């Protein structure tokens, strides 16, 4: 059996409007193996979350998958109906979102929400589902889970609420977890606890995890591989440690340069000039070319793609050839 849990091939997501079709995700191809964490990183508007929503089948109309293929453990899922997708979400694909308060119903205890989710996907009695809920709260590090299972979301801190959301995502033993900015609203120490928890659960359960974030520091500490996105396209894909040590695409170099040093040396952080282009104003050629100091003529004409080199940059390819 193949180790690939998720395979995305040439995915394109479009939004038809009165003024034309906007392309939010353009030709994205990526895969995640069992027990692997793939970090998807980029500035706001890069298309990271949109890619995750397309995989989950949660695109808001008029958004649509216009081209490409999405497969889960070898089975194509991008052409499933909404009813069929409901059987996948929760059961085979779990989701962790940025704000746990929007993922939890404030009117019900966390135990009730866990039990309801468990029974929706697994053939368990109410008592067995409650026992399973307590086990999950224990696994994600909630203290005194036998008592806390009957508490409401507002009785938990932000970090503990996010642990509850992770427990919800794990209810039906999914093959894939999509974690969309799961640490953004948390302080640094709690961020480290949540990312450490994701790493442990990924390895212990053999799940595949797609970690969406704008923070290269979180990626460096958590992911096995990283996919960098810009304006809906992939710019660089590779092993996270290799990319942290020697980023190749100018955009990745800029993202790494914005991370403060931990050595105590006083230094000025680098800044990428300009802004992410709007969907209705993506420049010709490489979308990053107006902000790139290494731009060559070809960058303004032809769109580079991530190939065997793992980097979509004409300037880098020219350096390799010479």
């Amino acid at each position: 059996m193949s180790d690939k849990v998720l395979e995305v091939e040439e995915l394109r997501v479009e939004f038809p409007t009165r003024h034309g079709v906007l392309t939010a995700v353009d030709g994205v191809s990526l895969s995640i193996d069992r027990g692997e964490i793939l970090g998807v990183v980029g500035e706001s508007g890069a298309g990271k979350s949109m890619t995750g929503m397309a995989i989950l089948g949660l695109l808001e109309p008029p958004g649509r998958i216009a081209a490409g293929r999405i497969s889960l453990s070898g089975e194509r899922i991008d052409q499933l109906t909404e009813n069929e997708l409901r059987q996948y979400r929760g059961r085979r694909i779990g989701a962790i979102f940025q704000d746990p308060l929007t993922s939890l119903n404030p009117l019900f205890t966390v135990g009730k929400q866990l039990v309801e989710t468990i029974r929706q996907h697994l053939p368990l009695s109410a008592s067995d589902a409650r026992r399973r809920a307590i086990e999950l709260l224990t696994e994600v590090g909630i203290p005194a889970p036998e008592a806390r299972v009957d508490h409401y979301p507002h009785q938990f801190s932000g970090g503990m609420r996010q642990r509850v959301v992770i427990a919800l995502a794990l209810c039906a033993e999914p093959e894939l977890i999509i974690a969309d900015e799961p640490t953004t609203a948390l302080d640094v120490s709690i961020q480290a606890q949540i990312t450490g928890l994701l790493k442990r659960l990924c390895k212990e359960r053999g799940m595949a995890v797609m970690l969406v974030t704008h923070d290269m520091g979180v990626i460096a500490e958590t992911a096995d591989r990283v996919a960098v996105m810009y304006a809906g396209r992939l710019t660089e894909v590779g092993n996270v440690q290799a990319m942290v040590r020697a980023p190749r695409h100018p955009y990745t170099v800029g993202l790494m340069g914005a991370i403060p040093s931990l050595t105590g040396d006083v230094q000025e952080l680098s800044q990428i000039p300009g802004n992410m282009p709007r969907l209705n104003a993506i420049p010709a050629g490489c979308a990053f070319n107006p902000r790139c100091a290494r731009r060559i003529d070809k960058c303004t004409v032809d769109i580079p793609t991530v190939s065997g080199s793992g980097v979509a940059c004409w300037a880098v390819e020219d350096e390799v050839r010479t």
Side-chain angles (χ1 to χ4, degrees), residues 80-93:
L80 297 178
T81 66
E82 178 58 31
N83 286 336
E84 290 171 331
L85 276 170
R86 286 197 189 100
Q87 302 305 312
Y88 277 76
R89 289 194 294 264
R91 180 65 187 91
R92 297 183 64 185
I93 307 176

Side-chain angles (χ1 to χ4, degrees), residues 7 9 11 67 81 101 111 117 131 137 158 184 197 221 229 235 239 243 270 292 306 321:
E7 293 180 272
E9 304 169 58
L11 177 67
T81 66
L101 278 179
T117 304
R131 191 175 305 110
L137 291 179
T184 298
L197 175 61
E221 290 296 324
M229 291 189 68
T235 60
N239 175 273
M243 199 177 295
S270 66
C292 184
V306 173
R321 283 196 293 268

Side-chain angles (χ1 to χ4, degrees), residues 10-23:
E10 295 296 323
L11 177 67
R12 186 167 76 246
V13 175
E14 294 179 347
F15 285 82
T17 73
R18 290 177 296 173
H19 305 290
V21 176
L22 303 179
T23 302

Side-chain angles (χ1 to χ4, degrees), residues 11 25 28 30 47-56 210 229:
L11 177 67
V25 177
V28 167
L30 51 85
K48 313 179 302 296
S49 295
M50 198 65 65
T51 301
M53 292 299 102
I55 294 168
L56 285 164
M210 177 177 169
M229 291 189 68

Side-chain angles (χ1 to χ4, degrees), residues 29-280:
S29 296
L30 51 85
S31 64
I32 313 178
D33 292 343
R34 300 182 192 282
E36 180 183 47
I37 298 178
L38 173 71
V40 182
V41 68
E43 295 171 280
S44 296
K48 313 179 302 296
S49 295
M50 198 65 65
T51 301
M53 292 299 102
I55 294 168
L56 285 164
L58 292 176
L59 292 174
E60 289 285 345
R64 67 191 183 197
I65 295 176
R69 182 187 184 98
I70 302 172
S71 300
L72 183 67
S73 297
E75 182 178 351
R76 189 168 184 177
I77 63 172
D78 58 284
Q79 296 180 329
L80 297 178
T81 66
E82 178 58 31
N83 286 336
E84 290 171 331
L85 276 170
R86 286 197 189 100
Q87 302 305 312
Y88 277 76
R89 289 194 294 264
R91 180 65 187 91
R92 297 183 64 185
I93 307 176
I96 304 167
F97 296 110
Q98 179 175 341
D99 184 1
L101 278 179
T102 63
S103 301
L104 297 171
N105 191 323
L107 302 179
F108 298 107
T109 65
V110 299
K112 182 176 178 60
Q113 295 177 65
L114 283 164
V115 167
E116 182 178 339
T117 304
I118 291 168
R119 298 194 71 192
Q120 175 70 29
H121 298 290
L122 299 177
L124 296 178
S125 66
S127 59
D128 287 340
R130 179 181 170 86
R131 191 175 305 110
R132 167 83 175 144
I134 293 172
E135 290 172 356
L136 285 167
L137 291 179
T138 302
E139 189 171 7
V140 299
I142 299 292
E146 294 84 358
R148 298 289 265 166
V149 72
D150 294 317
H151 288 184
Y152 290 85
H154 73 270
Q155 295 176 281
F156 291 79
S157 66
M160 287 296 153
R161 279 194 293 266
Q162 195 62 290
R163 289 173 184 267
V164 172
V165 172
I166 293 174
L168 275 169
L170 296 174
C171 277
E173 301 282 348
E175 303 161 53
L176 171 68
I177 293 284
I178 296 180
D180 190 355
E181 303 276 9
T183 63
T184 298
L186 307 175
D187 64 50
V188 175
S189 62
I190 303 301
Q191 279 187 15
Q193 294 175 21
I194 295 300
T195 55
L197 175 61
L198 281 175
K199 287 174 67 174
R200 176 175 65 80
L201 293 172
C202 174
K203 302 309 178 186
E204 290 179 357
R205 290 170 171 256
M207 300 181 305
V209 176
M210 177 177 169
L211 175 61
V212 174
T213 181
H214 63 275
D215 191 334
M216 280 297 292
V218 170
I219 292 292
E221 290 296 324
T222 311
D224 300 299
R225 288 189 303 120
V226 58
V228 183
M229 291 189 68
Y230 185 85
R233 303 171 188 164
L234 288 174
T235 60
E236 188 169 359
V237 178
N239 175 273
V240 69
Q241 295 304 321
M243 199 177 295
V244 167
R245 289 194 301 269
R248 302 175 67 198
H249 194 283
Y251 181 56
T252 314
V253 172
L255 292 177
M256 292 303 303
I259 300 176
S261 171
L262 298 179
T263 62
D265 299 333
V266 177
Q267 62 176 1
E268 183 177 346
L269 300 180
S270 66
Q271 180 177 347
I272 304 174
N275 298 293
M276 181 80 64
R278 299 188 305 274
L279 292 183
N280 62 353

